[in-house]
Amino acid sequence: MADNASTVEHKATFCRICEPLCGMIATVEDGKLTALRPDKEHPLSAGFACQKGIAFTEVVNDPDRVTTPLRRTETGFEAVSWDEALDDIADRLSSVVQRHGTGAVGWYMGNPGAFSYAHVLSIMAFIKGIGPGTHFYTASSQDTNCRLMASQLLYGTPISVPIPDLTRTDFLVVMGANPVVSHGSFLTAPRIKDRMHDVVKRGGRVVVIDPRKTETAAQFEWLGIVPDTDALLLLSLLQVMFADNLAHTDEIGPLVDGLDWLRAQVAPFTPEATAPHTGVDPDVARGLARDLATTPRAAMYGRLGTCVGRYGTLTSYLLDVVNLVAGNLDKPGGSVISGLGMPGQRLVNIGMGALLRRTYRRKQSRIGGFRAIIGSEPAALMAKEMHTPGERQIRAMFISAGNPVLSVPNGDELEAALDSIDLSVALDFYLTETTAHCDYILPVTTMYERDDFPLTFQPFQATPFRQATDAVIEPVGQARQEWQIVGELIRRTSVESRVFAAITRSGNALRRIGKPFNPQMLANGIIRAAAGGDAFGLRRGGLTFGRLSRDHAHGKVVSEHLKTGTLKDAISYLRGRIQLEHEDIVTEIAALARLENPEEYPLRMIGMREPRSENSWMHNAPLLMRGDRGHHGLMNADDAAELDIADGSEVQVSSPYGDITVPVTLTKDIMPGVIAVPHGWGHKGTGGWKLANKAGGANVNRLTSSEPRDVESLSGMAWLTGVPVRVDRV
Ligand code: SF4
């Protein structure tokens, strides 16, 4: 719609910084994005957007943004043409593969990559297609892989992940999540804070279990817990359910194998036995178990905090098992595994699950022998894979949409490793602490410069919903989309690969018939096949990519509620039953005995999210950094008094793996013995983002370990919370 005959347009689109995917209206003047405001006509976000979403105009137009290909020289980065950059990268990649094999190639994709279907699909084609032995990493081994692993154990496939039926539940227990600030994770629910208040308004309850009285806990009921002891509390909830005959055994019996085995496993973990570790009063634990098992519409939901301790897979597994045993799995208002509603979902899950389980069994990291979750290895070991000699040593590394120097354990080690390899290439729009170490930075588009359909998040929507968008502006400068860059690399490299040859042949064939390849074809196919789609012409008026972006620009709700009674479709095991019994779970339960802290590190460090940060990458937006904002931790006021530490003063935080200096704010809203430090800070001047550099801060992951013994054994998760630390006055 044009404001006048000139060039001001207001385009409906959506934000892709975090999971609610809030509706946005983009103001475009003379082809330039000049403002973003919340879309009041979006059926779910209905006029809500957070400060980060609004501030994104500043990212798109950031003068520090990389908008031309850059090559690193001895004196800094210099601009080069796309052809020069791509030819040299393709040559050097071919040479690495010729000399060392395809096992010498690695790719790391950061969290924003998951928000672009074309980005994900093209990288998969590249890294899997180039040949055997490659290394693939994502941010998932810092936040989600154990959740996927738990699903693989229980349902036979990592891609069946339950979410709380938020719009119908009457009792929501949130563990290790702070949705008021994070806006939801593994859960796409615009206005999630309002949806949680709705639970209370309809007479229900929301309980938040967390070592810190988070912004979410402050608005509902807070139950404090000692960091990294969630698994013990969950075992106690199950013990109470079985011991007090609260378990819905008759109902779930036909759905599961291993119920008696489970009962025996949890028997020793009475609330009295776990209370000294968890800090949770036994009566409170009993009440919680009873309420979960007797409230008709109840759900337990766990997120990041439950994943980044030492027992992430066990904790995620137990969360689902609590929902199951309490009779809340696959129930309205309970915990529900959703899907795209495609025909033949069960068959697809059986095939896909078998394939992914096979990959898990067969693909191992060279360092530490960790299994691959959906093909991805532990990012905590990425540096060691680069600097440890031997077969499959990484010598060519690609990094897209990520800043692992600030997000994986031991960033110092990764910086040195990146400097040591034959080829390192970043696909990014900032010169960051990571990309500063790359031979090339290839400029990519932001979300508003590309079309999109949020494929990754379709199964996690609390209200099944579809939205697709065209690009609202042309790419800024010489930016290109990741899939275009990958396509060019495939075309230019001389690496012999059957997959690459097939991709090139298909691309040529499509070009010959005047329909050059565009990944939108794939997204369109999924939309058409999914619930609400046009079933390839069989369903009149059904959705396609074009209809969504054109006729339903504000998005379309495809069903009022999540579908329940579909558990069988989500299970990949041929028997169609949930498998509770696993030797790996026995091993992890036994490992809980390792909960001791070294005496010289008496406190525990946990992470925390901040409303104006998105991991490491939005600290250069003036709107988000106003008020001379800086990095600070949160410390229990009584602990601080004992150590003679004043509010706002700098402290040194030391762990067995490293130390940082950070100012602390004192609070009573955190468990004694706990210090919370936000991640994503530690900009130290190597990056090209001036405002972020000025804000500086400390890289909290210097306190964490990149040693294989400290990586979670089943899923390769980095250990980022509950880390033993000591705090000293500076
Ligand atoms: S909550 Fe997330 S999706 Fe919504 S506007 Fe903020 S950053 Fe964007």
Side-chain angles (χ1 to χ4, degrees):
M1 173 190 17
D3 266 346
N4 50 44
S6 69
T7 56
V8 181
E9 293 172 285
H10 304 286
K11 300 183 180 184
T13 180
F14 58 94
C15 179
R16 282 147 275 170
I17 297 172
C18 75
E19 294 183 38
L21 309 162
C22 301
M24 286 286 188
I25 301 295
T27 303
V28 180
E29 297 181 43
D30 293 330
K32 184 177 174 189
L33 180 73
T34 55
L36 289 161
R37 64 186 152 85
D39 180 3
K40 290 183 182 156
E41 292 177 61
H42 189 284
L44 300 174
S45 61
F48 170 82
C50 78
Q51 344 179 35
K52 288 177 286 190
I54 303 295
F56 205 83
T57 318
E58 297 180 340
V59 174
V60 174
N61 301 315
D62 192 335
D64 291 341
R65 186 175 158 186
V66 175
T67 55
T68 58
L70 297 179
R71 176 168 55 202
R72 190 161 65 134
T73 70
E74 299 218 327
T75 53
F77 281 95
E78 64 178 12
V80 290
S81 72
W82 270 108
D83 277 336
E84 222 176 324
L86 290 168
D87 281 342
D88 188 39
I89 294 166
D91 281 352
R92 289 166 66 178
L93 174 66
S94 308
S95 154
V96 165
V97 171
Q98 204 171 28
R99 281 181 290 134
H100 306 289
T102 48
V105 183
W107 194 302
Y108 175 89
M109 183 184 80
N111 165 281
F115 289 80
S116 162
Y117 73 92
H119 187 159
V120 175
L121 296 175
S122 60
I123 289 174
M124 298 306 280
F126 180 84
I127 200 70
K128 302 292 169 200
I130 195 167
T134 52
H135 303 264
F136 178 53
Y137 305 93
T138 70
S140 292
S141 59
Q142 286 99 262
D143 59 15
T144 54
N145 272 355
C146 64
R147 175 52 270 185
L148 306 179
M149 183 61 206
S151 288
Q152 182 167 305
L153 292 171
L154 287 165
Y155 317 112
T157 172
I159 56 178
S160 286
V161 176
I163 61 169
D165 187 5
L166 195 57
T167 59
R168 290 188 287 185
T169 195
D170 292 326
F171 184 39
L172 179 66
V173 180
V174 177
M175 190 176 227
N178 186 8
V180 166
V181 171
S182 73
H183 302 283
S185 171
F186 260 130
L187 180 59
T188 290
R191 287 183 168 271
I192 192 166
K193 183 173 75 171
D194 296 347
R195 298 293 76 82
M196 291 168 74
H197 279 289
D198 288 346
V199 177
V200 179
K201 279 185 200 155
R202 56 180 177 259
R205 289 170 61 203
V206 176
V207 174
V208 180
I209 304 173
D210 203 287
R212 182 168 77 86
K213 189 174 184 180
T214 60
E215 293 77 355
T216 307
Q219 299 193 19
F220 301 96
E221 298 171 44
W222 178 41
L223 176 56
I225 188 168
V226 171
D228 207 11
T229 64
D230 299 333
L232 285 168
L233 176 62
L234 294 166
L235 285 164
S236 277
L237 299 184
L238 288 165
Q239 191 277 335
V240 173
M241 286 180 198
F242 282 117
D244 294 359
N245 284 327
L246 296 164
H248 291 231
T249 45
D250 290 347
E251 180 190 319
I252 62 175
L255 302 174
V256 302
D257 286 330
L259 209 48
D260 289 338
W261 171 89
L262 177 72
R263 189 196 307 262
Q265 292 300 318
V266 304
F269 295 93
T270 62
E272 287 72 20
T274 57
H277 302 285
T278 61
V280 176
D281 183 281
D283 287 341
V284 173
R286 287 182 197 287
L288 190 57
R290 190 184 52 243
D291 292 345
L292 278 165
T294 57
T295 306
R297 294 176 176 229
M300 195 157 191
Y301 162 68
R303 261 316 289 133
L304 195 89
T306 61
C307 272
V308 286
R310 282 170 289 182
Y311 311 100
T313 301
L314 175 64
T315 308
S316 299
Y317 165 96
L318 290 171
L319 276 160
D320 281 16
V321 174
V322 165
N323 279 320
L324 171 78
V325 173
N328 296 326
L329 192 63
D330 195 31
K331 294 283 183 56
S335 185
V336 179
I337 301 177
S338 185
L340 279 159
M342 291 199 190
Q345 191 90 45
R346 169 137 173 77
L347 286 178
V348 172
N349 267 337
I350 288 175
M352 187 80 103
L355 191 70
L356 292 169
R357 292 200 302 276
R358 184 165 161 263
T359 308
Y360 182 76
R361 282 195 305 273
R362 290 190 168 187
K363 190 174 174 190
Q364 275 184 294
S365 65
R366 191 174 63 109
I367 308 292
F370 290 89
R371 311 278 175 181
I373 307 285
I374 313 200
S376 78
E377 298 176 35
L381 303 175
M382 196 159 56
K384 288 186 171 50
E385 294 281 7
M386 288 184 218
H387 67 61
T388 307
E391 211 181 317
R392 286 186 69 224
Q393 178 184 3
I394 297 178
R395 295 161 197 268
M397 188 73 200
F398 294 81
I399 297 172
S400 59
N403 189 1
V405 163
L406 294 194
S407 62
V408 303
N410 200 346
D412 298 350
E413 184 187 25
L414 183 60
E415 285 183 285
L418 281 170
D419 287 338
S420 72
I421 59 177
D422 298 351
L423 173 66
S424 50
V425 180
L427 283 67
D428 211 304
F429 48 74
Y430 277 123
L431 202 174
T432 69
E433 292 70 25
T434 301
T435 64
H437 292 273
C438 291
D439 298 321
Y440 283 95
I441 306 175
L442 303 179
V444 293
T445 57
T446 67
M447 58 188 162
Y448 293 112
E449 296 149 58
R450 64 171 193 248
D451 70 283
D452 233 328
F453 171 66
L455 180 59
T456 311
F457 305 103
Q458 296 306 301
F460 309 125
Q461 307 214 349
T463 302
F465 179 75
R466 307 270 186 268
Q467 188 167 17
T469 182
D470 291 323
V472 300
I473 54 170
E474 291 295 313
V476 170
Q478 296 182 40
R480 291 184 182 179
Q481 292 191 54
E482 290 81 0
W483 70 267
Q484 295 170 315
I485 297 169
V486 167
E488 277 298 320
L489 285 175
I490 288 175
R491 198 170 68 79
R492 289 170 199 239
T493 181
S494 59
V495 173
E496 283 181 23
S497 147
R498 271 185 294 180
V499 177
F500 284 6
I503 290 172
T504 306
R505 268 198 312 276
S506 325
N508 291 341
L510 286 168
R511 212 170 295 120
R512 272 198 301 277
I513 59 170
K515 289 194 170 181
F517 174 76
N518 185 323
Q520 199 180 97
M521 297 167 179
L522 305 173
N524 188 33
I526 291 166
I527 293 167
R528 298 181 78 176
D534 81 339
F536 301 96
L538 296 176
R539 202 180 295 133
R540 273 188 76 193
L543 299 173
T544 62
F545 193 109
R547 278 200 198 119
L548 264 179
S549 60
R550 196 179 53 238
D551 305 337
H552 305 283
H554 306 282
K556 184 160 174 54
V557 172
V558 290
S559 148
E560 192 186 352
H561 291 299
L562 295 172
K563 203 166 169 188
T564 54
T566 56
L567 186 60
K568 263 214 152 70
D569 289 347
I571 295 176
S572 168
Y573 294 123
L574 281 175
R575 281 166 62 84
R577 293 156 71 96
I578 296 171
Q579 301 296 311
L580 293 173
E581 185 173 347
H582 297 278
E583 220 23 65
D584 287 333
I585 293 298
V586 178
T587 309
E588 287 299 285
I589 291 175
L592 284 170
R594 291 201 307 257
L595 273 170
E596 296 303 311
N597 265 354
E599 264 179 30
E600 60 275 37
Y601 300 100
L603 304 188
R604 301 275 195 105
M605 184 277 292
I606 62 170
M608 63 179 272
R609 283 202 176 272
E610 299 168 298
R612 286 197 264 152
S613 290
E614 185 66 16
N615 302 326
S616 67
W617 65 283
M618 291 196 73
H619 291 151
N620 212 49
L623 192 62
L624 301 178
M625 301 304 283
R626 64 191 185 279
D628 265 344
R629 188 174 159 234
H631 191 206
H632 68 98
L634 285 180
M635 192 173 173
N636 181 281
D638 295 334
D639 291 340
E642 260 181 44
L643 296 165
D644 200 16
I645 289 167
D647 188 36
S649 61
E650 293 236 314
V651 298
Q652 174 160 318
V653 187
S654 315
S655 79
Y657 319 106
D659 52 68
I660 58 169
T661 302
V662 68
V664 283
T665 302
L666 306 186
T667 176
K668 294 272 189 187
D669 288 341
I670 195 165
M671 293 281 283
V674 181
I675 177 168
V677 187
H679 69 283
W681 295 81
H683 310 291
K684 54 189 180 182
T686 47
W689 35 20
K690 298 186 197 72
L691 191 54
N693 288 340
K694 188 167 155 245
N699 179 0
V700 69
N701 286 344
R702 295 191 71 191
L703 299 173
T704 61
S705 168
S706 66
E707 293 303 317
R709 66 171 178 273
D710 293 317
V711 171
E712 199 257 5
S713 62
L714 295 180
S715 64
M717 291 287 298
W719 175 25
L720 303 177
T721 197
V723 177
V725 293
R726 187 181 68 237
V727 176
D728 295 296
R729 273 174 53 175
V730 172

